[in-house]
């Protein structure tokens, strides 16, 4: 009985070279990553301490003082202060970034004692550090407040929730009365079905509050964008896109990308109102972006959303960024 054999697939020399090139590229990337990780480790655990020590001997000031002296009052100063505190080996300095608002002054005094800072020689340091700590702790508290609102589900049995939803309709459609609570009319302002509550599942009440804030404080712009969203060629679902932008704003807040925005905008404690204003900026800018890009179809929404997301992230990398309508 004969044996059954299979011919080995032939691989062209070009394919062999391509695979070899790919393997070389992978080894190069892995090598670069290893060098970066090694340098990062050595800097954090060895070099940083000695660099700070040498600079203190030369200037007579600790790193926190040098940051306050060398950075203007903006996100740059607060971000550097935050990084310095988090990178410190001192438990006092590390815990300062989590200080509640009513204990900020106490932590400023503890830091100055820990770093042996003479208030008579550096009269402005304590106030500058206090402002930075208020911004840092304010950002953390704002995130918790936003997260609580996001986790709060829309409840059609809640009179307050229902009132806000109806108010949204009245602001956007002042000349058309809502015929019923559950109706296809909701599609006219960009919800998916006859009951908007199902569209709030991802972002909870945060999605509705953002939509309502924009409609209440920028009524003309909100109605204008709603009209544009009904464009027969470039139209999109106004409310659904709005909730999607809420998710974008939330993710930027969560990963810390919004620190430059808040640290430049708010001199002390950021409030929920400041987050809503950033959402309004996104809603207005996205509509401009969408019509400038002229997508072939709403089916490409995710692709263009990601492109817009990258544009916003790049803007937020600027220490001096100020984003407003």
């Amino acid at each position: 009985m004969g044996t059954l054999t299979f011919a080995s697939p032939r691989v062209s020399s070009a394919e062999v070279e391509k695979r070899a090139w790919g393997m070389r590229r992978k080894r190069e990337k892995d090598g670069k990553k290893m060098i970066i990780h090694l340098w990062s480790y050595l800097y954090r655990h060895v070099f940083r301490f000695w660099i700070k020590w040498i600079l203190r001997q030369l200037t007579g000031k600790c790193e926190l003082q040098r940051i306050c002296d060398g950075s203007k009052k903006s996100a740059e100063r607060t971000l550097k202060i935050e990084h310095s505190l988090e990178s410190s080996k001192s438990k006092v300095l590390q815990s300062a970034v989590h200080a509640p608002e009513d204990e900020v002054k106490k932590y400023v005094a503890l830091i100055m004692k820990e770093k042996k800072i003479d208030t008579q020689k550096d009269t402005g340091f304590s106030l500058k550090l206090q402002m930075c700590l208020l911004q840092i702790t304010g950002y953390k508290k704002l995130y918790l407040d936003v997260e609580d609102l996001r986790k709060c589900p829309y409840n059609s049995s809640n009179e307050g929730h229902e009132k806000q939803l109806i108010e949204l309709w009245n602001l956007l459609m002042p000349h058309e009365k809502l015929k019923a609570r559950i109706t296809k009319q909701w599609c006219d302002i960009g919800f998916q079905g006859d009951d908007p509550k199902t569209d709030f599942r991802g972002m909870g009440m945060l999605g509705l509050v953002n939509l309502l804030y924009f409609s209440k404080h920028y009524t003309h712009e909100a109605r204008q964008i709603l009209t544009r969203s009904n464009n027969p060629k470039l139209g999109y679902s106004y409310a659904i896109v709005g909730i999607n932008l809420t998710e974008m704003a939330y993710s930027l807040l969560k990963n810390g990308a919004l620190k430059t925005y808040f640290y430049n905008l708010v001199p002390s404690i950021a409030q929920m109102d400041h987050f809503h204003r950033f959402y309004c900026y996104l809603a207005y800018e996205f509509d401009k972006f969408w019509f400038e890009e002229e997508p072939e179809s709403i089916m490409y929404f995710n692709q263009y959303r990601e492109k817009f997301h990258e544009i916003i992230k790049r803007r937020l990398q600027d220490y001096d960024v100020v984003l407003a309508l």
Side-chain angles (χ1 to χ4, degrees), residues 67-81:
I67 291 171
C68 287
D69 288 346
S71 302
K72 62 182 179 180
K73 182 184 175 182
S74 68
E76 180 182 5
R77 178 193 291 171
T78 305
L79 287 167
K80 287 181 177 180
I81 289 289

Side-chain angles (χ1 to χ4, degrees), residues 137-317:
T137 193
Y139 188 93
K140 294 180 185 298
K141 184 180 183 301
L142 175 62
Y143 168 70
L144 295 176
D145 292 342
V146 169
E147 179 71 354
D148 286 344
L149 192 55
R150 186 190 71 85
K151 286 181 177 179
C152 177
Y154 183 91
N155 183 357
S156 54
S157 299
N158 185 308
E159 186 178 341
H161 293 186
E162 288 285 286
K163 185 178 178 181
Q164 289 180 73
L165 183 60
I166 299 303
E167 185 179 7
L168 175 66
W169 172 271
N170 291 334
L171 284 166
L172 292 174
M173 305 289 282
H175 303 300
E176 184 175 338
K177 188 176 180 180
L178 201 61
K179 296 175 182 176
R181 166 60 182 80
I182 297 177
T183 171
K184 286 293 182 182
Q185 282 179 284
W186 290 112
C187 296
D188 295 341
I189 60 172
F191 287 104
Q192 289 181 323
D194 56 10
D195 191 350
K197 75 174 184 179
T198 59
D199 294 323
F200 294 122
R201 282 176 294 194
M203 286 290 107
M205 281 299 293
L206 183 63
L208 174 56
V209 172
N210 274 168
L211 285 168
L212 183 57
Y213 186 95
F214 185 44
S215 301
K216 188 182 291 185
H217 293 83
Y218 299 93
T219 309
H220 173 74
E221 289 81 1
R223 290 175 183 171
Q224 187 178 54
I225 291 174
L226 175 62
T227 300
R228 283 160 60 86
S229 73
N230 290 317
N231 184 287
K233 182 181 178 182
L234 299 173
Y236 57 85
S237 298
Y238 175 85
I240 295 300
V241 169
I243 295 170
N244 201 287
L245 293 174
T246 290
E247 191 281 328
M248 184 183 295
Y250 165 77
S251 67
L252 290 168
L253 178 71
K254 184 178 181 180
N255 66 26
L258 279 185
K259 286 180 179 180
T260 49
Y261 168 77
F262 284 112
Y263 292 169
N264 282 328
L265 178 70
V266 190
S268 57
I269 302 288
Q271 305 293 333
M272 184 69 79
D273 186 77
H274 299 116
F275 178 79
H276 294 328
R277 277 195 259 168
F278 177 72
Y279 166 82
C280 294
Y281 170 81
L282 286 184
Y284 188 79
E285 288 295 309
F286 179 80
D287 181 72
K288 283 200 307 181
F289 165 81
W290 182 263
F291 278 86
E292 286 169 1
E293 292 290 320
E294 297 186 346
E296 293 180 19
S297 166
I298 191 64
M299 299 299 291
Y300 296 101
F301 173 78
N302 288 336
Q303 176 184 329
Y304 284 93
R305 178 203 184 276
E306 191 53 37
K307 185 176 180 180
F308 178 71
H309 192 191
E310 290 300 319
I311 290 171
I312 296 299
K313 285 194 290 186
R314 284 197 297 273
R315 290 177 186 175
L316 290 169
Q317 288 172 0

Side-chain angles (χ1 to χ4, degrees), residues 2 4 21 28 34 44 74 98 100 114 175 194 264 266 325:
L4 189 62
W21 180 82
E28 288 175 5
M34 187 179 297
R44 288 197 311 268
S74 68
H98 302 289
E114 177 95 0
H175 303 300
D194 56 10
N264 282 328
V266 190
L325 263 65

Side-chain angles (χ1 to χ4, degrees), residues 40-53:
S40 179
Y41 177 84
L42 290 173
Y43 177 76
R44 288 197 311 268
H45 298 280
V46 182
F47 300 139
R48 188 172 186 273
F49 170 81
W50 288 107
I51 291 171
K52 287 170 63 180
W53 183 84

